Amino acid sequence: MRGETLVLGGIVLIFVGFLLVFLGTLISALGGEGDVEGGGVIMIGPIPIVFGTSRGAVTIASILALLLMVLWIIGTLLARRG
């Protein structure tokens, strides 16, 4: 994979993230009511630190953390082969 492709992909993902945040804020401001939940994962190497405001948010963040751990391990093993 070429470096230019990775840089372009990263820029596109950043713009998509900004667009999603903007649309979410706009929908919320126009009268969308509901409960707000949040959660996140901090990866330190293969070890995740999971946090959230509710059990559901923590569960989703934990599943994503597990997926990230598996991808990290696979990537490490593939890097050692090649």
Side-chain angles (χ1 to χ4, degrees):
M1 200 180 281
R2 298 177 59 190
E4 295 87 15
T5 306
L6 289 175
V7 170
L8 181 62
I11 291 171
V12 168
L13 285 176
I14 289 172
F15 279 116
V16 168
F18 277 121
L19 181 65
L20 288 174
V21 169
F22 176 75
L23 288 176
T25 304
L26 185 65
I27 290 171
S28 176
L30 292 176
E33 293 193 22
D35 295 331
V36 176
E37 295 181 2
V41 177
I42 299 173
M43 297 293 290
I44 301 178
I47 301 169
I49 300 172
V50 180
F51 57 92
T53 58
S54 68
R55 184 176 293 263
V58 170
T59 301
I60 292 172
S62 297
I63 292 169
L64 292 175
L66 181 63
L67 179 66
L68 284 173
M69 285 174 49
V70 169
L71 288 174
W72 185 86
I73 292 170
I74 290 171
T76 302
L77 292 175
L78 289 176
R80 287 186 182 183
R81 279 191 178 179

